[in-house]
Amino acid sequence: MTNPALLQLLGLAARARKTISGEELVVKEIRSGKAKLVFLASDASANTSKKIQDKCTFYNVEYYVFGDRYDLGHATGKEARVAIAITDSGFAKKMSSLLNEN
């Protein structure tokens, strides 16, 4: 299910400092309108999933449930991450098109 091209792009975005990870920080980015796209790990807790999905829906931010916490963490060079927000519209657009083509 994991898309290597997407994971590489996520890593690139992380190195370019265009990502925010961590549940609370992601929620803050969604609220402030800086988050362009949000990734949620498939193994995030029900509580976290609901919170992030509700925020994304309310603030009209595109989100995807993608990979597990280790896929997301590994792609960004961190340990495990359940939520990652992309703050750059260029990266967000490219990732969105990669996700929508399959």
Side-chain angles (χ1 to χ4, degrees):
M1 152 69 203
T2 55
N3 180 333
L6 186 68
L7 290 173
Q8 284 175 330
L9 201 58
L10 196 52
L12 202 62
R15 285 191 295 283
R17 304 201 180 287
K18 300 294 182 193
T19 62
I20 301 288
S21 62
E23 179 193 344
E24 291 306 319
L25 292 170
V26 167
V27 168
K28 203 176 114 208
E29 291 300 299
I30 295 168
R31 275 200 198 113
S32 70
K34 290 193 190 105
K36 310 286 183 239
L37 181 66
V38 173
F39 288 105
L40 191 57
S42 57
D43 59 349
S45 71
N47 214 354
T48 302
S49 294
K50 183 176 173 5
K51 179 155 76 175
I52 300 227
Q53 288 173 356
D54 289 352
K55 282 275 175 269
C56 284
T57 306
F58 185 80
Y59 289 97
N60 204 8
V61 175
E62 199 176 350
Y63 72 89
Y64 291 96
V65 175
F66 178 80
D68 61 22
R69 64 183 67 208
Y70 301 104
D71 290 333
L72 291 178
H74 183 72
T76 55
K78 305 253 186 353
E79 273 296 297
R81 289 289 182 260
V82 289
I84 297 179
I86 308 299
T87 56
D88 179 85
S89 47
F91 278 117
K93 218 176 248 113
K94 181 71 182 138
M95 289 175 186
S96 186
S97 72
L98 275 173
L99 281 157
N100 291 325
E101 72 191 19
N102 45 3

